[in-house]
Amino acid sequence: MATPPHYAALSALELALLQLKEERNWAAYEALRKRDREEVFEAAVQLLRSPSARERALGADLLVQATGYDEEARLVRGARSADVLLAAIPTEPDASVLRAMGHTLGYLADARAVPVLRALKDHPDSRVRLGVASGLSQHQDAVALQTLIELSRDTDASVREEAISALSLKDEDAVDSPELREAFLDRLSDEVTDIRTDALVGLARRKDPRVREPL
């Protein structure tokens, strides 16, 4: 896809806003991906201060790009992006923005996010709880695992699916407990096929004999 020549004169913030305004403007998206990470970070910070919830959610999403897409980049830049999100979460009123923040924190995998996200696990809006499950997906400490187990029984199917998927992908040698296995067993009767499948995988990876009958 050819990038319009005038996009070169636009700032990262302008490209982000153009992408938001024209949701299928892939040229703006590609142009933004090529920008310097520091410029993208500054644009993300500005968007997170916007009165518009859509723009704040975009700011949260942009912090992934500002950090970078490899492990080294996360180690070098991830803490700074997490700082911004962790400072913003306590005063953020919009569910869609909190979901985006949770998703980005999941990518950053910063341990400081665990108690902050745990505090939102009972939020009345399922979008926030989905963000919590996504945000905790990379963590293996006891608090994160307990929260994911609780969210695997959520009333919202998307939340259950995110939580049980995260649990089923955990290394069976590092993450195992009777409570975790019970969580998988509980989901074998779930109405959603993908959730049942993830539950079966979780039990099978732990060589639990109770997986045989449903299989």
Side-chain angles (χ1 to χ4, degrees):
M1 177 181 294
T3 302
H6 70 279
Y7 279 14
L10 299 179
S11 67
L13 179 61
E14 289 171 325
L15 286 170
L17 290 173
L18 184 61
Q19 181 189 338
L20 188 65
K21 181 180 179 181
E22 304 172 11
E23 293 185 6
R24 297 191 181 277
N25 190 331
W26 298 112
Y29 173 78
E30 288 299 325
L32 183 61
R33 281 177 59 88
K34 296 174 183 176
R35 290 304 173 90
D36 178 75
R37 287 175 179 165
E38 186 63 31
E39 183 186 1
V40 176
F41 178 80
E42 293 301 329
V45 171
Q46 285 185 258
L47 287 167
L48 283 165
R49 295 171 180 160
S50 170
S52 163
R54 290 186 69 217
E55 291 182 5
R56 295 197 303 277
L58 176 60
D61 290 339
L62 275 183
L63 284 175
V64 173
Q65 180 183 335
T67 299
Y69 298 98
D70 56 75
E71 187 63 25
E72 181 180 359
R74 283 199 296 181
L75 291 173
V76 174
R77 302 183 182 87
R80 182 175 66 163
S81 294
D83 286 343
V84 174
L85 293 174
L86 294 173
I89 282 177
T91 57
E92 176 53 56
D94 188 87
S96 62
V97 179
L98 288 169
R99 175 184 176 179
M101 289 176 168
H103 179 76
T104 298
L105 285 170
Y107 171 75
L108 298 173
D110 191 304
R112 295 173 297 164
V114 173
V116 176
L117 293 171
R118 166 78 182 179
L120 294 172
K121 75 176 183 66
D122 295 319
H123 195 283
D125 195 303
S126 62
R127 291 171 294 177
V128 178
R129 302 195 303 275
L130 181 60
V132 172
S134 177
L136 296 176
S137 61
Q138 302 301 313
H139 297 281
Q140 296 192 171
D141 66 277
V143 173
L145 292 173
Q146 179 61 35
T147 305
L148 286 170
I149 288 172
E150 292 173 21
L151 290 174
S152 74
R153 302 184 176 104
D154 197 272
T155 56
D156 185 88
S158 295
V159 178
R160 295 198 307 277
E161 185 170 356
E162 184 73 26
I164 206 70
S165 175
L167 290 169
S168 71
L169 291 172
K170 301 294 183 189
D171 183 344
E172 62 271 23
D173 294 325
V175 179
D176 194 9
S177 70
E179 188 175 9
L180 175 60
R181 295 187 182 208
E182 288 300 319
F184 289 136
L185 281 170
D186 285 347
R187 298 276 58 81
L188 292 181
S189 59
D190 201 283
E191 62 188 24
V192 179
T193 302
D194 287 345
I195 294 177
R196 296 197 302 272
T197 301
D198 285 334
L200 285 168
V201 169
L203 282 176
R205 291 183 64 181
R206 287 156 183 83
K207 299 179 174 60
D208 192 302
R210 292 172 294 182
V211 77
R212 293 172 184 166
E213 183 177 348
L215 281 176

